[in-house]
Amino acid sequence: MTNHRIEFVFGEVNDQLKRELRAFWGQHGNAYQEELRSFRIASRNSDGLKQMDLLKKTIPRQPAAISRDQIGAINGVVFVVLRELEASRDLGSHAYFQRMYIIPGYRQPRLANQLFRTFLEGFDREVGKRDHRAKVLLSENINPGLQKASMRRYFAPLGFQMLGGNQLGGEIWVRKLKTHFSF
């Protein structure tokens, strides 16, 4: 399980990859949603972080990076959603909101780190593919097992700052994005 191929795919999703992603979510989507529900229940009001309501409107999610196992099947996905923000947060009108899901049998810190870093490097590099209205990347850490000092030390060197918590019990981290607007 150590041979993984990680690809940055934001803005490059062809028909074949769409089919693979539909099959991935068809097989693992319910488990992903159930895991989110269990994290929300476990996290709710657990640490007293300032609760924030950042989001107004969601635009459909886009895959940004994928991991494939040794036979080429997708075993992990980083996806982003462009969202309209509440103006009161002073983060701009829009933000990209990022989440990552790795199939439980493949979860290991090394894979998660490589997948997340590939996503960040590609997302930074491909500024022209991103919506210029998004000035920040938001990442939610909803897993209570990962809400500890070691994760805070992990996020900070990657350019993230803790913004607070949300009503679902997750930690919200923010990272400024370079933007580019062209006609």
Side-chain angles (χ1 to χ4, degrees):
M1 279 197 261
T2 59
N3 296 332
H4 303 283
R5 189 175 80 232
I6 298 174
E7 307 166 37
F8 180 77
V9 298
F10 182 75
E12 302 290 328
V13 179
N14 59 28
D15 290 339
Q16 172 63 32
L17 184 53
K18 281 181 190 174
R19 285 190 295 274
E20 289 180 83
L21 287 163
R22 267 196 298 269
F24 175 85
W25 288 116
Q27 185 174 359
H28 302 288
N30 287 341
Y32 168 71
Q33 291 300 327
E34 183 55 41
E35 195 170 276
L36 286 180
R37 275 190 291 280
S38 71
F39 290 155
R40 287 176 182 139
I41 290 168
S43 295
R44 201 156 302 194
N45 301 321
S46 63
D47 63 1
L49 287 173
K50 181 181 174 191
Q51 300 297 304
M52 49 188 67
D53 184 20
L54 294 170
L55 310 172
K56 281 173 77 174
K57 186 172 145 187
T58 301
I59 298 166
R61 73 180 176 196
Q62 297 176 276
I66 60 171
S67 171
R68 295 178 182 276
D69 65 15
Q70 52 273 48
I71 63 169
I74 296 173
N75 61 7
V77 178
V78 174
F79 59 92
V80 293
V81 176
L82 180 66
R83 292 193 167 169
E84 189 176 346
L85 298 177
E86 293 290 335
S88 63
R89 280 281 151 210
D90 199 30
L91 296 172
S93 65
H94 290 75
Y96 279 102
F97 183 84
Q98 171 273 326
R99 279 215 174 119
M100 178 168 57
Y101 180 72
I102 298 173
I103 297 170
Y106 290 93
R107 289 182 187 163
Q108 52 183 274
R110 184 171 179 243
L111 174 59
N113 182 46
Q114 289 175 338
L115 183 56
F116 192 60
R117 285 180 183 266
T118 298
F119 156 69
L120 286 177
E121 290 165 9
F123 208 61
D124 285 346
R125 184 178 59 246
E126 298 294 344
V127 65
K129 292 181 182 178
R130 297 191 322 248
D131 190 302
H132 69 277
R133 297 173 296 176
K135 308 271 189 273
V136 296
L137 173 66
L138 298 172
S139 185
E140 179 185 38
N141 180 8
I142 195 168
N143 183 339
L146 297 177
Q147 294 175 0
K148 48 187 151 187
S150 61
M151 283 308 293
R152 292 185 178 121
R153 287 190 301 272
Y154 175 77
F155 273 121
L158 296 174
F160 285 91
Q161 294 181 325
M162 170 85 81
L163 190 61
N166 64 13
Q167 61 271 44
L168 303 173
E171 296 176 342
I172 303 296
W173 292 81
V174 63
R175 182 177 190 255
K176 291 186 180 185
L177 295 172
K178 291 181 182 173
T179 58
H180 176 73
F181 178 74
S182 63
F183 291 98

